[in-house]
């Protein structure tokens, strides 16, 4: 489809500025070498091309139909394409699901036509596609007409045609070319995920850029991310519609629900995605990845001829999680011979302006020494400016090509100062960026991708052992909220430690002669109808004797009934008092992403400070350990301020078990909430003090 | 000094590429209309200018000496300038305090020469200064030679000459001109703060940009920020040297200590600064402020011809604290007449591509209606592209000029697509930005400054009442750490509520026949030598009777002696048990910024999550309320999850009191630490449960 031998333009117009005319112009004036077949019964010829009355008459081979008819005619044309042997169609026409009502019905007809005919369809309501490598421009809109667009080993898959093609146009201005760009429109048939998969596998694509409003199959997005790591091709993902206002607009535009942004971010973090948030990120990251080198670690050396820039680049590297280790003593010794007498030999390396009065030969020698330092994985060097820069650049490129560490150039002046030198460096795969902060961000993107690729490879070769095998569990039929005791029974079946407790029927309370558990105990109502027991006043902590127990049990039952008059009370839960660091382990069975585990510290940490991390279930203990390390409050687990270290191993084990539980029973479980799970001192384990499970209808 | 009638170049060189030669070239080839006087006893003439043997022979008026001699000759030349009546000198020479040792001594000699001669000096070790308005280029370095530099109502004050002048050069490429740029070097005499003050008052300056590594007088920086608000001129502040590695490099480069980044940020937040972190921020914010309009509130309407961009611009506005309210019903009704039948009338407004087939007349009509909506303070509109854009732009500018709300244009394509239209818009004070995220950031900068200016004006007209007048307090002489009880006595003198407590001498413990306070009580050691009592094991909570009290008192004393054998034990503090939400109120008397108050939630919130806010002392209750509202955990005070609201009023009162305490006694107090301060339910006040005061030597 991306390189068709012939293209039929259905609804061709002799007015080349109209939607039915623009594709004709684009396919005849930009060097496309295949055949173009206008289809319109009203004409016999348009701009010198024979015009066909209908699709059936179009000569073969014709691999693509570009459809620009009014919406109501489109389903019929797709069926005609099928009969005529045209395998692909690009539907530019609007007026489908994005307008609601009748449009929605038309889109259903279109989907039926796709199924019946076997024709694969892009759109409707899309701007088309570009294959700049082979001069195929099939679509409409002013951006496609630009002569400045250029090919390059990058593909764009966009759910907003106008915006995505705009990014392609702007990137061209900054020297970044795209071989392919596809606007997916309403995705009646082929989706952004289909296209991501396709372009990722394409041998002439090294980087994928995607502009996403929402996808229907989050798990497939996760799988695509893993494949990107496997192939070593980054996907620069620009996700929009993330706030309430944004989502509302995204919905009205794409007629598609948007799942929670946090889950997209989890998918991006997990796989070979680099999240981008502006056009600069696209341009800068493409430049950096086109250097075609990934760092082996996150250790950076910063080398500048002027202190000011070195300081700020150093600051920003640290902020982005990279390190600036001191240079090896052997390297430092060699540097001292090369720099001005009072220059500092540290990292950042600052040679001071006095250092380079030799066409920057000593500057290059210095960069060479630093690149040779085994403790340095990559270099940001600030280019010199002025006349000698071109001599410097030639020697610098030779130097860079003698080894394989990434080197980014921070260009110290404007892009019109020595533009030939910038062009020469970039032609030789040395990325040049003007703004120092952006230079660091681009390097951070390389490091993020490289780190994830390393982790992916480690994960592939480690035996991913499930923490336990599938177990049957007692679950009610249909949608239901389980009481605490019932929820804990399910958790216990998967080996999650729960508080010792006994469920005592309300009518048996007064008959007790001793407590079922040693005092002090906690008392709670057991009821599927009281999800928030504390708010209902249906919890008593620190109950110390039998009389207190009996009185409290009746008070709790009364409180539960005040909270909800028809609450089914299954009994009073008599429970050991538990303590430890409060954490929350949550699981949701997301409509788009399937079973997901959320983990965070208890209370305000999770709810107010959003210090939460997510993973797709099921996962192993090693992944659970990554989750634990990711939250900002992680230090509380390792022995904060002289406190003993807590049992992170037991916590990781429990996270993995919960992930297996929801994954194994995804058809039945909607939500799991363990809040709090208490984490005790190392070796003392964890214990679920309260829990809630909601089942699916 | 910025526009001298004559300039002497001392140490003039006939080699125009040398440091002593470059100023001659710069002052003769770029249109400077004043006199140029080379000074060098070895020459009688350089490039056709008479060369003088020494400064004394230079004709008057000569307002500036540019000094490019070896460091050891500089102090003498400054004295000569004084005798010759030259009021200002710009010392380009390096080899002063930045090299340490002898250089430091030379800088002291230079300072002495300044004092003796009355000559005001910029530098040493600076790159010079630019007055592009009057074609004065006094300095050296390739950037100054660029023909692309352009004047404009902006000034640059930079502590890194190379970097700061680079920013001026790069900004010129993006259409941003600077009237003045000053490299302050080692600041032996005139500092970055002096220059900030000067350029801020200059009538031909509307925006100030500064690149700072550190300032010696943080309070003056704060005052400059207030003046900037008063004048309505933003200072775009780029602070570097903020991480350990960065600071280290900054120190070696500028021979100046750098105070904590957090205090700089507090100064920036307080005053008319907008923090910038990259060249793009400088360029974008300058563009936005050159629109010369400030929003009256933070309500934004986003108007685009394509949904994708609207969604992402909306997302980013919300992220930056702006709001996108729905349009007024009257506005929405008018819009429905203007847009395509199935376009959405909401905010963001998306007219869909079909909407503009009329040279964008209806698009402009729509923007006009939205600008007229009283519920909208400002607009981001995405420009149309293509041939009709120039007609659109003419009508659009007329429309914008008919009202006074800020309008930013997000340019939808590359800068080389319709560059004439961009130029036309910007000449007419309509800022045009390419990347949508950067467009929003620039608008956020306008809003931040406008909001601070509004708050400043409200503050000016409100009666700033001190919460109490100056009180004398009992403080030991010299540097000392006060025990808890002594610290609380000081706090109590300023009306800070403290726990009821009694100090019992160790030898009197066994004689007690009853507790000085009702049980339960807390027991702590009172000792100036045990600052961390809990870690020392010198605290007991929940003591319930007299026997327990006596036993615990002796155990605590023993623990304190184990912790530190020579600890002076002033007694055992018997204290009421207190409870509430834990917060921390800290005060430091910073060497650069003077007395500063820090406030945050207790424990990990402050220490691990850095949820802390700062203000310069003293301040009033209204400012304290701002601090409380600023922390992320603020919701805990207002009644989080059904809990009762806490006594925020008493907390604000205490913050204001502590600010008066450290400000009134700044000559004596180094630090105050109230940790924890318990905040009780509304109306129940606050209470300092532990406190520590350190006095100054």
């Amino acid at each position: 489809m991306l390189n068709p031998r012939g293209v039929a333009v259905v609804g061709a117009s002799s007015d080349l500025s109209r939607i039915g005319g623009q594709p004709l112009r684009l396919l005849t004036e930009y060097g496309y070498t295949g055949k173009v077949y206008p289809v319109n019964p009203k004409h016999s010829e348009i701009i010198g091309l024979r015009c066909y009355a209908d699709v059936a008459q179009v000569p073969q081979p014709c691999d693509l139909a570009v459809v620009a008819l009014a919406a109501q005619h489109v389903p019929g044309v797709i069926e005609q394409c099928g009969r005529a042997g045209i395998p692909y169609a690009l539907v530019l026409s609007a007026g489908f699901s994005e307008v609601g009502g009748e449009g929605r019905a038309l889109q259903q007809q279109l989907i039926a036509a796709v199924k019946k005919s076997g024709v694969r369809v892009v759109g409707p309501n899309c701007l088309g596609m570009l294959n700049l490598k082979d001069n195929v421009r099939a679509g409409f809109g002013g951006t496609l007409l630009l002569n400045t667009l250029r090919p390059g080993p990058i593909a764009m898959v966009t759910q907003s045609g106008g915006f995505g093609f705009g990014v392609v146009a702007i990137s061209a201005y900054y020297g970044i070319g795209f071989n392919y760009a596809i606007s997916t429109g309403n995705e009646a048939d082929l989706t952004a995920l289909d296209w991501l998969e396709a372009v990722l596998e394409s041998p002439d694509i090294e980087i994928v850029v995607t502009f996403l409003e929402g996808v229907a199959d989050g798990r497939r997005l996760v799988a695509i991310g893993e494949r990107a790591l496997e192939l070593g091709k980054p996907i620069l993902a620009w996700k929009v519609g993330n706030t309430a206002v944004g989502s509302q607009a995204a919905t009205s535009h794409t007629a598609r629900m948007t799942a929670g942004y946090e889950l997209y971010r989890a998918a991006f973090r997990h796989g070979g995605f680099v999240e981008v948030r502006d056009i600069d990120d696209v341009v800068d990251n493409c430049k950096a990845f086109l250097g075609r080198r990934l760092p082996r670690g996150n250790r950076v050396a910063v080398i500048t001829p002027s202190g000011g820039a070195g300081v700020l680049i150093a600051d920003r590297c640290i902020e982005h999680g990279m390190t600036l280790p001191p240079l090896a003593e052997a390297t430092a010794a060699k540097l001292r011979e090369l720099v001005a007498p009072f220059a500092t030999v540290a990292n950042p390396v600052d040679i001071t302006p006095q250092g380079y009065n030799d066409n920057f030969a000593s500057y290059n020698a210095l960069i060479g020494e630093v690149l040779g330092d085994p403790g340095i994985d990559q270099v940001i060097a600030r280019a010199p400016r002025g006349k000698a820069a071109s001599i410097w650049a030639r020697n610098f490129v030779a130097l860079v090509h003698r080894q394989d560490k990434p080197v980014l150039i921070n260009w110290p002046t404007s892009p019109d100062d020595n533009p030939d030198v910038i062009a020469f460096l970039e032609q030789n795969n040395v990325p040049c960026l003007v703004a120092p902060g952006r230079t660091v961000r681009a390097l951070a993107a390389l490091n993020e991708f490289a780190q994830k690729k390393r982790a992916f490879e480690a994960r592939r070769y480690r035996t991913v052992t499930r923490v336990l095998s599938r177990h049957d569990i007692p679950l009610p039929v249909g949608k239901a909220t389980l009481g605490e005791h019932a929820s804990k029974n399910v958790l216990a079946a998967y080996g999650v430690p729960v508080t010792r407790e006994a469920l005592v029927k309300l009518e048996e309370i007064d008959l007790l002669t001793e407590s079922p558990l040693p005092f002090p105990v906690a008392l709670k109502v057991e009821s599927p109808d009281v999800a928030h027991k504390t708010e209902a006043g249906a919890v008593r902590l620190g109950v110390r004797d039998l009389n207190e127990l009996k009185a409290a049990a009746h008070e709790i039952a009364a409180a539960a009934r005040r909270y909800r008059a028809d609450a089914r009370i299954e009994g009073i839960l008599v429970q050991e008092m538990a303590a430890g660091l409060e954490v929350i382990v949550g699981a949701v069975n997301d409509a788009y992403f399937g079973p997901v585990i959320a983990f965070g510290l208890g209370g305000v940490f999770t709810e107010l400070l959003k210090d939460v991390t997510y993973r797709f279930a099921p996962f192993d203990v090693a992944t659970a350990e990554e989750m634990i390390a990711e939250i900002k409050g992680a230090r509380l687990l390792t022995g904060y301020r002289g406190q003993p270290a807590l049992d992170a191993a037991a916590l990781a084990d429990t996270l993995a078990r919960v992930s297996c539980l929801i994954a194994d029973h995804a058809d039945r479980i909607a939500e799991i909430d363990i809040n709090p799970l208490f984490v005790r001192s190392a070796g003392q384990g964890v214990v679920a003090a309260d829990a809630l499970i909601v089942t699916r209808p």
Side-chain angles (χ1 to χ4, degrees), chain A residues 9 22 31 38 51 58 93 150 162 179 228 235 288 339 352 366-367 397 464 554 559 566 571 623 633 637 643 665 687:
Chain A
V9 179
Q22 285 191 30
C51 190
V58 167
S93 328
R150 55 162 83 186
N179 281 344
I235 303 175
V339 299
T352 80
L366 180 149
I367 295 171
V397 162
V464 177
H554 293 296
D566 63 346
T623 302
L637 285 156
Q643 312 243 336
H665 302 281
V687 62

Side-chain angles (χ1 to χ4, degrees), chain A residues 496-682:
Chain A
V496 175
V498 299
T499 42
R500 280 178 297 143
E501 59 193 35
L503 183 62
V504 184
K505 291 204 174 119
L506 203 52
E507 57 272 25
E508 288 168 5
I509 285 287
D510 289 332
L511 308 176
L512 287 176
T513 54
E514 60 176 345
S515 171
L517 271 83
F519 290 110
V521 294
L523 259 58
K524 301 172 177 174
V525 73
E526 172 77 5
S527 167
D529 302 319
V530 185
H532 302 289
K533 296 185 283 287
T534 304
E535 285 177 27
V539 174
R540 284 293 181 288
L541 300 178
V543 172
R544 292 177 166 248
D545 61 37
L546 195 59
N547 288 338
E548 198 183 339
L549 187 157
K550 291 179 181 179
H554 293 296
E555 286 164 25
I556 281 173
R561 292 220 173 82
R562 268 196 304 279
Y563 181 75
R564 189 167 155 180
D566 63 346
R568 288 164 293 173
I569 294 177
E570 297 176 351
I572 299 295
L573 208 49
V574 180
Q575 195 172 85
E576 69 170 320
M577 291 290 293
L581 178 72
E582 272 191 41
V583 304
I584 297 177
V585 178
V588 290
N589 204 340
D590 184 77
Y592 302 94
F593 283 92
V596 184
I597 304 293
F599 164 69
L601 295 177
V604 289
F605 287 98
T606 300
E607 299 184 29
L608 224 52
L609 305 178
K610 314 278 182 231
D611 186 16
V612 187
T613 182
Y614 302 86
R615 279 295 186 293
F616 302 103
F619 50 74
D620 64 356
V621 170
T623 302
E625 285 165 351
E626 287 170 21
M627 290 182 83
I628 296 169
E630 258 168 35
I631 60 166
K632 293 195 202 87
R635 267 183 51 205
L636 284 175
L637 285 156
T638 54
Y640 172 67
R641 296 204 80 188
Q643 312 243 336
L646 303 184
D647 204 334
L651 174 57
D653 179 74
T654 286
L655 281 165
R657 284 173 189 273
V658 176
S659 82
C660 291
L661 169 59
I662 193 161
D664 290 347
H665 302 281
D667 57 330
R668 295 294 309 117
I669 299 179
E671 291 171 44
I672 301 173
D673 191 23
I674 309 180
N675 181 11
L677 179 82
F678 283 116
V679 186
R680 300 180 180 132
S681 302

Side-chain angles (χ1 to χ4, degrees), chain A residues 215-220 256-260 264 589-594:
Chain A
V215 301
D217 184 350
R219 279 305 170 106
R220 207 169 141 211
R256 183 186 306 112
M257 284 301 294
T258 300
Y264 280 93
N589 204 340
D590 184 77
Y592 302 94
F593 283 92

Side-chain angles (χ1 to χ4, degrees), chain A residues 48-396:
Chain A
L49 296 170
R50 187 186 152 186
C51 190
Y52 299 85
D54 60 45
V55 168
Q57 295 174 28
V58 167
Q60 289 302 322
C62 175
D63 298 320
L64 177 65
V66 175
V67 183
L69 296 167
Q72 70 270 25
H73 303 306
V74 172
V77 162
I78 298 302
E79 293 193 32
Q80 286 173 30
C81 287
R83 285 191 294 270
I86 300 176
Y88 296 104
L90 196 65
V91 180
L92 308 179
S93 328
F96 290 87
S97 67
E98 79 280 7
V99 302
E102 251 174 71
R104 230 184 283 271
L106 270 178
Q107 187 150 334
Q108 285 309 316
Q109 288 174 35
L110 174 58
I111 293 170
V114 165
K115 290 207 175 117
K116 192 168 159 197
S117 64
V119 176
R120 302 308 304 261
V121 167
V122 179
N125 189 31
C126 79
L127 285 200
M129 68 93 169
L130 289 170
N131 168 353
L132 294 170
K133 196 168 126 262
D134 301 303
N135 303 312
V136 188
R137 299 189 180 201
F140 75 107
T143 313
L144 279 74
L145 293 164
L146 292 170
N147 283 308
T148 48
L149 303 183
R150 55 162 83 186
I154 307 175
M156 162 67 80
V157 176
T158 177
Q159 290 186 324
S160 169
F163 191 78
F165 285 3
V167 171
V168 170
I170 297 169
S171 298
Y173 175 78
Y174 295 107
I176 301 297
F178 283 74
N179 281 344
Y180 308 118
I182 300 107
S183 154
T184 63
N186 288 5
E187 305 189 355
D189 177 23
L190 292 170
T191 65
L193 294 178
D194 293 324
W195 283 111
L196 284 176
E197 260 178 19
V199 295
L200 199 56
E201 301 294 338
S202 174
D204 54 12
I205 292 302
E206 296 174 31
I207 302 168
V208 177
V209 181
T210 186
F211 186 86
L212 293 177
E213 291 171 343
V215 301
D217 184 350
R219 279 305 170 106
R220 207 169 141 211
L221 186 70
V222 173
I224 289 169
E226 294 203 325
R227 181 65 180 152
L229 289 177
E230 193 170 2
L231 293 169
K233 299 181 182 181
I235 303 175
L236 311 184
W238 192 340
K239 171 74 178 75
V240 296
N242 306 322
T243 62
V245 169
S247 289
Q248 199 179 5
T251 305
S252 72
H253 182 247
T254 67
R256 183 186 306 112
M257 284 301 294
T258 300
Y261 180 43
E262 278 309 327
L263 299 185
Y264 280 93
R265 298 194 88 175
F268 296 157
R269 271 198 302 272
H270 178 84
F273 298 94
V274 175
E275 197 177 357
V276 292
R277 314 211 333 125
D278 213 343
I279 289 167
D280 301 333
D281 294 340
V282 173
V283 170
D284 298 348
N285 291 346
C286 284
K287 282 192 176 196
F289 281 104
L290 287 176
R292 298 196 176 102
R293 292 169 177 207
L294 290 179
R296 278 187 287 266
N298 67 351
R299 300 167 301 178
V300 184
V302 176
I303 311 176
T304 72
S306 133
V311 172
L312 84 94
I313 292 172
D315 275 355
R316 304 296 295 271
C317 284
I318 307 271
E319 264 183 45
H320 281 91
M322 295 175 277
T323 62
L324 274 85
L327 301 173
E329 188 39 52
T331 311
K334 285 184 199 141
L335 259 51
R336 270 180 219 108
E337 295 167 16
L338 292 166
V339 299
F342 45 80
T344 317
V345 175
N347 184 8
V349 189
D350 169 7
I351 64 160
T352 80
Q354 290 84 341
Y356 55 121
N357 290 322
D358 54 0
N359 286 330
F360 312 105
S362 62
Y363 190 51
N364 273 339
L366 180 149
I367 295 171
E369 293 299 342
V370 174
L371 278 169
D373 189 318
I376 296 298
D377 301 310
Q378 57 213 309
V379 161
I380 292 184
R382 201 160 150 95
R385 60 163 307 288
K387 281 187 212 152
S390 60
I391 300 169
W392 164 79
R394 265 203 305 281
N395 294 326
F396 178 74

Side-chain angles (χ1 to χ4, degrees), chain A residues 284 287-288 291 301-305 313 363-364 367 371 378-385 389 392-393 396-397 399-400 406-413 421-426 428-440 442-443 446:
Chain A
D284 298 348
K287 282 192 176 196
V302 176
I303 311 176
T304 72
I313 292 172
Y363 190 51
N364 273 339
I367 295 171
L371 278 169
Q378 57 213 309
V379 161
I380 292 184
R382 201 160 150 95
R385 60 163 307 288
W392 164 79
F396 178 74
V397 162
L399 167 75
V400 168
V407 179
L408 258 59
I409 288 293
N410 175 221
W411 189 250
T413 170
V421 176
I422 299 182
F424 172 76
L425 290 168
E426 298 208 323
N428 285 283
N429 302 325
V430 176
C432 269
L433 294 109
V434 169
R438 284 171 59 178
T439 311
V440 175
L443 191 69
L446 283 190

